[in-house]
Amino acid sequence: MGKDNLQMSIALRRNNNAESTAYGHYYPKIVERETLSQYGFAQHMHEHGLSYPTDLINGVITRLAQCIPELVGQGASVKLEGIGTFIPYVRVAKKKGGGSAAVAKPEKNLNPNAMVQGVYIRFRPECTKLNDLSSPAFKDRCAMAMDYVEEPVLNAEQKPVGRRLVEMKKWIEDNPVTAPTTEP
């Protein structure tokens, strides 16, 4: 991933919670692009010079999507070198009337189905020096641009019914006194 690729667009979003000490402050938010389909991802990999055909790459990705949940569901963590590790974990169930279904002392014949609310897959990105996908290090690999300000769309009663993106330059021209700063 090089910084010469497409930039990640950032929008500033205003905190409109009047009870917050940060009321009126602007915070960065990623402008999400359209999600790339699995086949589109396989095609992207092929375009990076991978000698395998797109259909074969797509088939491998499909098999990964089948095998990772299968193995994690059996209690195994699955590590993909250079990406990260998929790890199983459980959430403790709640007792009727409140409280946790955890027990103070292990007993014979405990029922895990009564104690476990759900089994989840947690993802831990790889954090080696060569390929650190943790948030601070990954940020340095991204090309970002402050492109927009996100504003609420108001109905006739002046209540928010959605959000829209306004180009930063236009927003600053239209709001010269209250324009958010992009300086740290």
Side-chain angles (χ1 to χ4, degrees):
M1 176 184 331
K3 287 192 175 185
D4 57 342
N5 294 336
L6 287 175
Q7 290 187 326
M8 177 187 298
S9 288
I10 304 292
L12 292 177
R13 184 176 195 177
R14 187 172 187 253
N15 178 339
N16 292 319
N17 181 353
E19 296 177 17
S20 170
T21 57
Y23 175 74
H25 292 191
Y26 289 82
Y27 293 90
K29 178 185 174 203
I30 294 172
V31 177
E32 295 180 26
R33 300 183 191 280
E34 184 178 335
T35 301
L36 191 62
S37 70
Q38 178 177 307
Y39 191 82
F41 180 60
Q43 198 168 20
H44 175 83
M45 290 176 66
H46 178 73
E47 289 168 1
H48 271 277
L50 204 55
S51 60
Y52 301 112
T54 302
D55 287 337
L56 179 61
I57 298 167
N58 189 44
V60 170
I61 296 169
T62 298
R63 198 54 83 173
L64 274 171
Q66 294 167 349
C67 291
I68 290 173
E70 174 189 354
L71 291 167
V72 172
Q74 295 169 2
S77 294
V78 178
K79 182 176 183 175
L80 299 180
E81 302 293 332
I83 296 176
T85 306
F86 297 88
I87 305 159
Y89 78 101
V90 297
R91 179 165 293 162
V92 177
K94 305 282 186 213
K95 287 183 179 177
K96 290 182 182 177
S100 166
V103 294
K105 182 178 176 187
E107 304 169 6
K108 195 174 183 181
N109 299 325
L110 284 175
N111 179 357
N113 289 312
M115 295 180 69
V116 174
Q117 175 184 342
V119 178
Y120 299 86
I121 298 175
R122 184 174 283 165
F123 178 74
R124 184 175 51 225
E126 185 165 304
C127 296
T128 64
K129 288 184 180 182
L130 294 176
N131 195 23
D132 192 345
L133 297 179
S134 66
S135 58
F138 188 60
K139 178 189 131 240
D140 293 338
R141 295 176 57 185
C142 297
M144 295 182 278
M146 192 69 69
D147 293 328
Y148 303 97
V149 173
E150 187 179 88
E151 290 189 332
V153 175
L154 306 175
N155 64 13
E157 292 84 35
Q158 296 299 303
K159 295 193 178 189
V161 293
R163 297 196 167 270
R164 69 184 175 113
L165 295 177
V166 178
E167 287 189 21
M168 178 69 77
K169 184 177 178 181
K170 173 151 180 37
W171 195 92
I172 290 172
E173 289 170 3
D174 294 346
N175 301 276
V177 177
T178 60
T181 178
T182 58
E183 298 297 317

